[in-house]
Amino acid sequence: LRPPRAAPAPGWNNYGSVHTATGLRGRLPLSMSSGLRRRHTGAGDARHLAGLSAGALESLRSMDLYAKVQEEVVQQSQAGGAVTIVVSALMLALLWNACVDYSTVTVEDKFTIDTRLNQKTTMSFNMSFPRLRCAELSVDAMDAAGGSQAGVREGLLFEPLDAAGSPAPEGSPHFTGCLSCGEAAAEGRCCNTCRSLIEAYEGRGLEWKEVLHSDARCTDAVGCRVSGTLRISMVSGNVQVALGGPTARSTEGGANTSHEVHAVAFGETVPGVVGALDGTSKTVRQGSSMFHYNFQLVPTVYMDIAGNRRFTNQYSVTHSAKNAMLRSGELTGLPGVFLVYDFSPFLVVKQAKAKRFMHFLTSLCAIIGGAFSIASLVEVVLNALSDGVRKGALKV
């Protein structure tokens, strides 16, 4: 048995070499020497990153498509200045037009079937009768669903007109207080207006036609303007503004139904929807006429940019007139204006849309780029022509 090998003395390795600070690598075996690496310092990393940045910037410079020209070789000409002014003005005009177009809201129309049931809408009208007093007029409405409104006053305004067509006070301007009802006088009853006077005469069964031409409460106002809004069902129907009540039974001499239609609308007010009947006027020269206006309504819903909805009705209209007075002085019909309407089963959807910003930005780039390109071409052509003319003049 061999005795155990003694441990090496301090300062000596297993190979019999002394550890030194400078000679360790040279005295180690080859396998151990190759496994050592030199550490990178901070300064070396900074120099490496700086080199990469410089290379990237140089690569970016090589991609520049707009080569710069030294100021010493740039030429300026009068033709180029003129072209610059003209093209700049044209470019500004095109840019302004692009801005206006971007701010303009377009409306797209789509058609569909109206599946709504039991719907109602409003009918607004405004018309003047220069030869019929407010006391002689009555507004009645009826429809195919069985709805009927007679002598409608709620929601309507009856405004008396004088001979010039201006608003006139209804009643005598010379008296105040409680005015007598004349032959139809009754205790505690006042007749301060022409209409109340006629109602008093009618209540007593007295003839009141002469009162229209003799009493000051009726003579100042010779016409009437009727305006307001009615609630109607979206089915076929008609609204008549005509002689009504006792007036219809006391017109052996006829009634002048000349009128002017200021406005007629069905539903809410919507941008771009204009009434085809607005501003129409009819004059009766002889007899008493019945005027029929036939409306074909198309339900329409308008959607603004915010998504809010407003319902209205577009319409087309035809009209006809008939003399309701026979030669004997009797009436074969009721003189007045008849507004006959019918609804279409289709629904028009009008949707407002704004221009997209990317479309606007594309237009701006196209305008600016095109202006510079055209300016360059025009300037080259003008300079070529100028040089040709100058050389020709020198040869001569």
Side-chain angles (χ1 to χ4, degrees):
L1 298 174
R2 294 182 180 181
R5 188 176 179 176
W12 293 82
N13 56 24
N14 293 332
Y15 299 95
S17 300
V18 179
H19 291 283
T20 61
T22 58
L24 178 60
R25 181 178 178 86
R27 296 176 180 273
L28 291 176
L30 180 62
S31 59
M32 296 182 64
S33 176
S34 62
L36 297 177
R37 296 290 185 268
R38 180 177 297 177
R39 293 182 178 180
H40 294 287
T41 63
D45 292 342
R47 287 193 297 269
H48 181 67
L49 292 176
L52 292 177
S53 300
L57 292 177
E58 190 64 28
S59 300
L60 185 61
R61 181 181 300 176
S62 65
M63 299 174 62
D64 186 8
L65 299 178
Y66 304 96
K68 308 304 182 291
V69 181
Q70 298 296 330
E71 294 183 0
E72 291 78 6
V73 297
V74 174
Q75 287 184 333
Q76 292 180 330
S77 62
Q78 295 178 350
V83 171
T84 301
I85 294 175
V86 173
V87 172
S88 298
L90 179 62
M91 183 173 61
L92 289 176
L94 293 177
L95 289 175
W96 173 257
N97 182 72
C99 294
V100 172
D101 181 69
Y102 175 68
S103 61
T104 302
V105 177
T106 59
V107 179
E108 295 182 357
D109 293 346
K110 295 186 296 183
F111 289 87
T112 184
I113 301 297
D114 190 3
T115 58
R116 299 173 300 164
L117 299 175
N118 302 323
Q119 295 295 313
K120 287 183 175 291
T121 187
T122 57
M123 177 182 179
S124 303
F125 60 91
N126 186 343
M127 59 181 63
S128 299
F129 295 85
R131 295 294 179 265
L132 287 177
R133 295 174 175 84
C134 294
E136 302 175 282
L137 289 174
S138 176
V139 177
D140 305 322
M142 60 188 67
D143 56 51
S148 178
Q149 305 177 62
V152 181
R153 290 283 169 175
E154 183 178 357
L156 300 179
L157 175 63
F158 292 79
E159 184 179 13
L161 303 176
D162 57 19
S166 302
E170 186 178 11
S172 175
H174 308 291
F175 303 97
T176 59
C178 181
L179 300 180
S180 172
C181 297
E183 297 181 9
E187 185 177 357
R189 183 166 188 172
C190 300
C191 297
N192 294 338
T193 64
C194 182
R195 182 170 188 81
S196 61
L197 181 62
I198 293 175
E199 291 176 351
Y201 270 73
E202 181 190 11
R204 288 291 189 92
L206 302 175
E207 176 62 36
W208 51 266
K209 188 175 180 181
E210 294 297 330
V211 175
L212 298 177
H213 306 283
S214 59
D215 196 283
R217 284 163 285 188
C218 298
T219 55
D220 290 339
V222 297
C224 185
R225 183 166 185 162
V226 185
S227 60
T229 302
L230 297 177
R231 188 81 174 167
I232 60 175
S233 299
M234 295 184 66
V235 295
S236 301
N238 69 85
V239 173
Q240 61 184 34
V241 184
L243 299 179
T247 312
R249 298 189 295 270
S250 304
T251 53
E252 293 83 359
N256 191 330
T257 53
S258 299
H259 63 277
E260 180 179 0
V261 180
H262 303 287
V264 174
F266 295 83
E268 301 178 62
T269 302
V270 168
V273 177
V274 181
L277 197 61
D278 297 357
T280 302
S281 60
K282 299 295 181 181
T283 302
V284 177
R285 303 294 181 184
Q286 185 178 4
S288 297
S289 297
M290 302 171 58
F291 294 92
H292 287 81
Y293 295 97
N294 299 285
F295 296 85
Q296 294 295 325
L297 302 173
V298 180
T300 303
V301 56
Y302 177 81
M303 300 177 61
D304 58 19
I305 299 178
N308 300 318
R309 295 188 175 189
R310 283 184 284 177
F311 292 90
T312 186
N313 296 273
Q314 302 181 80
Y315 66 83
S316 62
V317 60
T318 59
H319 69 276
S320 61
K322 174 186 176 182
N323 188 359
M325 178 170 288
L326 298 176
R327 293 182 179 179
S328 59
E330 297 180 358
L331 296 176
T332 59
L334 189 61
V337 175
F338 296 81
L339 308 176
V340 184
Y341 55 86
D342 191 12
F343 289 87
S344 169
F346 296 100
L347 177 67
V348 177
V349 179
K350 301 175 76 70
Q351 186 170 6
K353 289 188 175 182
K355 298 288 194 309
R356 295 182 300 174
F357 179 74
M358 293 305 298
H359 181 272
F360 172 66
L361 187 60
T362 303
S363 300
L364 292 185
C365 295
I367 292 172
I368 296 174
F372 277 104
S373 300
I374 293 175
S376 300
L377 293 175
V378 173
E379 196 271 339
V380 169
V381 172
L382 290 179
N383 283 334
L385 293 176
S386 177
D387 293 342
V389 172
R390 188 182 301 107
K391 291 179 180 178
L394 292 175
K395 290 181 179 179
V396 175

